[in-house]
Amino acid sequence: MGPSVEFTCEMMVTSDIHGHIQPVEYRTREERHAGLSKIATLIKEARKKSPELLLVDNGDLLQGTPFAYYAATAGKHRLNPAIATLNEMRYDAAVLGNHEFNYGWELLAKAVGDSSFPWLSAGIVNRETKEPVFGKPYIVKTLGPNIKVVILGVTTHYIPNWENPKHIKGLEFQDALETVKQWAAYIRKEEQPDLLVVSYHGGFERDLSSGEPAEKMTGENQAYAMCMEAEGIDVLITGHQHRFIAGEVNGVTVIQPGCNGQAVGRISVAFQKTPSGWMIARKQAELLRIDGAVASDPAILSLTGEAEEATQTWLDQTIGHIRGDMTIADPLLCRIADHPFIAFMNRVQMDAAGVDISNAALLNNESEGFRGEVTMRDILANFMYPNTLTVLRLRGEDIRAALEQTAAYFQVDLNGALGVNPAYLEPKLQHYNYDMWEGIEYELNAAKPIGQRVTRLTRNGLPLRGNEWFDVVMNNYRAAGGGDYEMYQGKQIVREVQIDMAELVAAYLQKHGVVEAVCNHNWQVVLKK
């Protein structure tokens, strides 16, 4: 017989919702088994059994769908529908994710100000005062028979490696692991909680069972180290990697509920009364997947219906036309030889930046490219991130180093066929870290060792000299070194184009009316033993 349980704390968590409120696939308008409107149904059901249910969002709420894009642009002066939804669902707290900063400080500050719940992030501080920018980084909840629960929020400190510097001006991002250690010790001493929960917008850097490194140890993800090194944590909520995790590491209950509202995490902590106070008898984490049996909550559909209708109308605008075919039949084939859609992306970037060398990435494997009539829906389906453009001044040797980095995307499988390096698939899909260039000619031989794959590199038919300078346009994420492109860090910024890529594509199509689907076959990937 186990100890008698006198109270059970129930908590539900979301993470990486990325603007998925209504259950809509915005490319096709078909229903998806995902989104906060469906999660709200499960939350309401859970509250019937547990009225004191705690509800936390773990970040990356405000960006990710055309719905979110519309709310942040054309609808930016209204109450953000994502905030309205969390208010309606009575969230207890939300944690800042890295994508919360994508649309700039003004939009983020309005979202925080309009929230009926606190936003938490212990390690984001004012550069001058060192005080937490978003106020007290934890909340205290007293449940049932005087059980004290503290929830501490923290965000990956890797944000400056990706974000537009203007969006995070005056902010300092302190090491998340050290921040958790310090605050956990402080909370244990000052608050003396019965349950300490850390909600961390970051993921696991190591395999949960073996402890072996699962990725390059950059500090972007530190959840495993938190479980092993930060004393006093009972539950660790994670995110950022879009993984489905429910389990335990070193006695710490851990959970990560995927992305886009495909699942909600549930954590149950049972307490028993002892002479020295309340003690944890057992903990359990599980994932509740959204499927066809889960209906949307009518209140959330009604609350966001007007914004959804406005978004759909806006998405159906015809922006321009393509003569020929820019569609992507196979994303791998698109990445092994010059393709009209990638050539178009680079052409738009070069036109906007006024330079003649560019690199661009196919952002995910669901991108379908363009053909015929192009609507705003088509544009945002392919350009889902609000990236702006940066022109860097690079030497030829920097370009070669960047091509070697991008060539690491490939591996040769056991059958001798070209495939994708698993490091770009696990623990998180990173197809967006493979770049394709215009304005130079090159060949990558994937059969050679990583770091030795650039077998041809010319410009206008002449060898690219290592000490020669070139101005190159790329998205701001890459220009900051995102994706382990360390050769770009610290390089001179020649200019910035502070208009996001979706708007630039729309403007280019509107300006030209009809765009030809062409490419000049300036690069290829080969397999030569």
Side-chain angles (χ1 to χ4, degrees), residues 407-422 445-450 453 525-529:
Y409 176 80
F410 297 106
Q411 74 168 19
V412 181
D413 66 23
L414 296 176
N415 298 318
L418 192 65
V420 179
N421 184 336
N445 186 354
K448 289 185 174 293
I450 289 176
R453 291 179 167 179
V525 178
V526 299
L527 279 175
K528 296 179 181 177
K529 297 293 185 182

Short mmCIF file of all heavy atoms in Angstrom, two decimals, residues 407-422 445-450 453 525-529:
data_model
loop_
_atom_site.label_atom_id
_atom_site.label_comp_id
_atom_site.label_asym_id
_atom_site.label_seq_id
_atom_site.Cartn_x
_atom_site.Cartn_y
_atom_site.Cartn_z
N ALA A 407 26.69 22.80 -46.91
CA ALA A 407 26.86 21.48 -47.50
C ALA A 407 26.77 20.37 -46.45
O ALA A 407 26.54 19.20 -46.81
CB ALA A 407 28.20 21.39 -48.23
N ALA A 408 26.92 20.71 -45.17
CA ALA A 408 26.79 19.71 -44.10
C ALA A 408 25.37 19.20 -43.98
O ALA A 408 25.11 18.21 -43.28
CB ALA A 408 27.25 20.32 -42.77
N TYR A 409 24.43 19.83 -44.68
CA TYR A 409 23.03 19.41 -44.67
C TYR A 409 22.86 17.99 -45.22
O TYR A 409 21.93 17.28 -44.85
CB TYR A 409 22.22 20.40 -45.51
CG TYR A 409 20.76 20.07 -45.68
CD1 TYR A 409 19.83 20.35 -44.68
CD2 TYR A 409 20.29 19.49 -46.86
CE1 TYR A 409 18.48 20.07 -44.84
CE2 TYR A 409 18.94 19.19 -47.03
CZ TYR A 409 18.05 19.49 -46.03
OH TYR A 409 16.72 19.20 -46.19
N PHE A 410 23.77 17.58 -46.10
CA PHE A 410 23.60 16.31 -46.79
C PHE A 410 24.41 15.17 -46.15
O PHE A 410 25.42 15.40 -45.51
CB PHE A 410 24.03 16.44 -48.25
CG PHE A 410 23.21 17.41 -49.04
CD1 PHE A 410 23.72 18.66 -49.39
CD2 PHE A 410 21.91 17.09 -49.43
CE1 PHE A 410 22.95 19.55 -50.11
CE2 PHE A 410 21.15 17.98 -50.15
CZ PHE A 410 21.67 19.22 -50.49
N GLN A 411 23.93 13.97 -46.38
CA GLN A 411 24.72 12.77 -46.11
C GLN A 411 24.40 11.74 -47.18
O GLN A 411 23.36 11.84 -47.86
CB GLN A 411 24.44 12.21 -44.72
CG GLN A 411 23.10 11.49 -44.58
CD GLN A 411 23.01 10.69 -43.28
OE1 GLN A 411 23.75 10.93 -42.35
NE2 GLN A 411 22.09 9.74 -43.25
N VAL A 412 25.27 10.77 -47.31
CA VAL A 412 25.05 9.68 -48.25
C VAL A 412 24.59 8.46 -47.45
O VAL A 412 25.24 8.06 -46.48
CB VAL A 412 26.33 9.36 -49.04
CG1 VAL A 412 26.07 8.24 -50.04
CG2 VAL A 412 26.84 10.61 -49.74
N ASP A 413 23.44 7.88 -47.82
CA ASP A 413 22.91 6.76 -47.05
C ASP A 413 23.62 5.46 -47.41
O ASP A 413 24.53 5.43 -48.26
CB ASP A 413 21.40 6.64 -47.22
CG ASP A 413 20.96 6.27 -48.63
OD1 ASP A 413 21.76 5.69 -49.38
OD2 ASP A 413 19.80 6.56 -48.98
N LEU A 414 23.22 4.37 -46.76
CA LEU A 414 23.89 3.09 -46.94
C LEU A 414 23.77 2.57 -48.36
O LEU A 414 24.58 1.74 -48.80
CB LEU A 414 23.31 2.06 -45.96
CG LEU A 414 23.54 2.36 -44.47
CD1 LEU A 414 22.84 1.32 -43.60
CD2 LEU A 414 25.05 2.39 -44.16
N ASN A 415 22.77 3.02 -49.09
CA ASN A 415 22.58 2.60 -50.48
C ASN A 415 23.31 3.51 -51.46
O ASN A 415 23.17 3.35 -52.67
CB ASN A 415 21.10 2.56 -50.82
CG ASN A 415 20.35 1.55 -49.97
OD1 ASN A 415 20.84 0.44 -49.75
ND2 ASN A 415 19.17 1.92 -49.49
N GLY A 416 24.05 4.48 -50.92
CA GLY A 416 24.78 5.39 -51.79
C GLY A 416 23.96 6.53 -52.34
O GLY A 416 24.42 7.24 -53.23
N ALA A 417 22.75 6.70 -51.81
CA ALA A 417 21.88 7.78 -52.29
C ALA A 417 22.02 9.02 -51.41
O ALA A 417 22.38 8.94 -50.22
CB ALA A 417 20.42 7.32 -52.30
N LEU A 418 21.72 10.15 -51.99
CA LEU A 418 21.82 11.42 -51.26
C LEU A 418 20.64 11.57 -50.31
O LEU A 418 19.49 11.35 -50.67
CB LEU A 418 21.81 12.58 -52.26
CG LEU A 418 22.19 13.96 -51.72
CD1 LEU A 418 23.62 13.98 -51.24
CD2 LEU A 418 21.98 15.01 -52.82
N GLY A 419 20.93 11.92 -49.07
CA GLY A 419 19.89 12.13 -48.07
C GLY A 419 20.23 13.31 -47.19
O GLY A 419 21.19 14.04 -47.44
N VAL A 420 19.43 13.49 -46.12
CA VAL A 420 19.59 14.62 -45.22
C VAL A 420 20.32 14.17 -43.96
O VAL A 420 20.00 13.15 -43.36
CB VAL A 420 18.22 15.23 -44.85
CG1 VAL A 420 18.38 16.40 -43.88
CG2 VAL A 420 17.49 15.68 -46.11
N ASN A 421 21.29 14.94 -43.56
CA ASN A 421 22.03 14.72 -42.32
C ASN A 421 21.05 14.68 -41.15
O ASN A 421 20.25 15.61 -40.98
CB ASN A 421 23.03 15.86 -42.14
CG ASN A 421 23.94 15.70 -40.94
OD1 ASN A 421 23.61 15.02 -39.97
ND2 ASN A 421 25.07 16.38 -40.97
N PRO A 422 21.05 13.63 -40.33
CA PRO A 422 20.10 13.54 -39.21
C PRO A 422 20.15 14.72 -38.25
O PRO A 422 19.17 15.01 -37.57
CB PRO A 422 20.53 12.24 -38.50
CG PRO A 422 21.20 11.44 -39.54
CD PRO A 422 21.89 12.42 -40.43
N ASN A 445 30.07 18.65 -53.49
CA ASN A 445 30.17 17.20 -53.63
C ASN A 445 29.88 16.56 -52.28
O ASN A 445 30.72 16.53 -51.39
CB ASN A 445 31.56 16.80 -54.12
CG ASN A 445 31.66 15.31 -54.43
OD1 ASN A 445 30.72 14.55 -54.17
ND2 ASN A 445 32.78 14.89 -54.98
N ALA A 446 28.66 16.02 -52.13
CA ALA A 446 28.23 15.46 -50.85
C ALA A 446 28.93 14.15 -50.52
O ALA A 446 28.80 13.66 -49.39
CB ALA A 446 26.72 15.26 -50.86
N ALA A 447 29.66 13.57 -51.47
CA ALA A 447 30.38 12.33 -51.19
C ALA A 447 31.67 12.60 -50.43
O ALA A 447 32.26 11.68 -49.86
CB ALA A 447 30.69 11.60 -52.50
N LYS A 448 32.11 13.84 -50.40
CA LYS A 448 33.34 14.20 -49.69
C LYS A 448 33.04 14.47 -48.22
O LYS A 448 31.89 14.70 -47.84
CB LYS A 448 33.99 15.42 -50.35
CG LYS A 448 34.60 15.13 -51.72
CD LYS A 448 35.33 16.32 -52.27
CE LYS A 448 36.06 15.98 -53.56
NZ LYS A 448 37.18 15.02 -53.33
N PRO A 449 34.07 14.46 -47.38
CA PRO A 449 33.85 14.73 -45.95
C PRO A 449 33.30 16.14 -45.73
O PRO A 449 33.58 17.07 -46.50
CB PRO A 449 35.25 14.59 -45.35
CG PRO A 449 36.03 13.78 -46.33
CD PRO A 449 35.47 14.13 -47.68
N ILE A 450 32.54 16.30 -44.65
CA ILE A 450 32.05 17.63 -44.28
C ILE A 450 33.24 18.55 -44.07
O ILE A 450 34.22 18.20 -43.43
CB ILE A 450 31.18 17.54 -43.01
CG1 ILE A 450 29.85 16.86 -43.33
CG2 ILE A 450 30.94 18.92 -42.41
CD1 ILE A 450 28.96 16.63 -42.12
N ARG A 453 33.62 19.98 -49.10
CA ARG A 453 32.64 19.65 -50.13
C ARG A 453 32.51 20.69 -51.24
O ARG A 453 31.83 20.44 -52.24
CB ARG A 453 31.27 19.43 -49.48
CG ARG A 453 31.23 18.16 -48.64
CD ARG A 453 29.91 17.92 -47.96
NE ARG A 453 29.83 16.55 -47.44
CZ ARG A 453 28.79 16.06 -46.78
NH1 ARG A 453 27.72 16.82 -46.56
NH2 ARG A 453 28.81 14.82 -46.34
N VAL A 525 24.42 20.13 -56.52
CA VAL A 525 25.01 19.19 -55.56
C VAL A 525 25.22 17.87 -56.30
O VAL A 525 24.31 17.39 -56.99
CB VAL A 525 24.09 18.99 -54.34
CG1 VAL A 525 24.70 17.98 -53.36
CG2 VAL A 525 23.83 20.32 -53.64
N VAL A 526 26.41 17.29 -56.14
CA VAL A 526 26.74 16.06 -56.86
C VAL A 526 27.22 14.99 -55.87
O VAL A 526 27.50 15.27 -54.71
CB VAL A 526 27.83 16.31 -57.93
CG1 VAL A 526 27.35 17.31 -58.96
CG2 VAL A 526 29.13 16.78 -57.27
N LEU A 527 27.30 13.78 -56.35
CA LEU A 527 27.88 12.65 -55.62
C LEU A 527 28.99 12.06 -56.49
O LEU A 527 28.72 11.33 -57.45
CB LEU A 527 26.82 11.59 -55.33
CG LEU A 527 25.89 11.81 -54.14
CD1 LEU A 527 24.84 10.71 -54.09
CD2 LEU A 527 26.66 11.86 -52.83
N LYS A 528 30.23 12.42 -56.19
CA LYS A 528 31.36 11.92 -56.97
C LYS A 528 32.39 11.33 -56.01
O LYS A 528 32.93 12.04 -55.16
CB LYS A 528 32.01 13.06 -57.77
CG LYS A 528 31.12 13.67 -58.83
CD LYS A 528 31.85 14.80 -59.55
CE LYS A 528 30.96 15.46 -60.60
NZ LYS A 528 31.66 16.61 -61.25
N LYS A 529 32.61 10.03 -56.14
CA LYS A 529 33.59 9.36 -55.29
C LYS A 529 35.00 9.82 -55.63
O LYS A 529 35.31 10.11 -56.78
CB LYS A 529 33.47 7.84 -55.46
CG LYS A 529 32.13 7.29 -55.00
CD LYS A 529 31.95 7.44 -53.50
CE LYS A 529 30.66 6.77 -53.04
NZ LYS A 529 30.44 6.93 -51.60
#
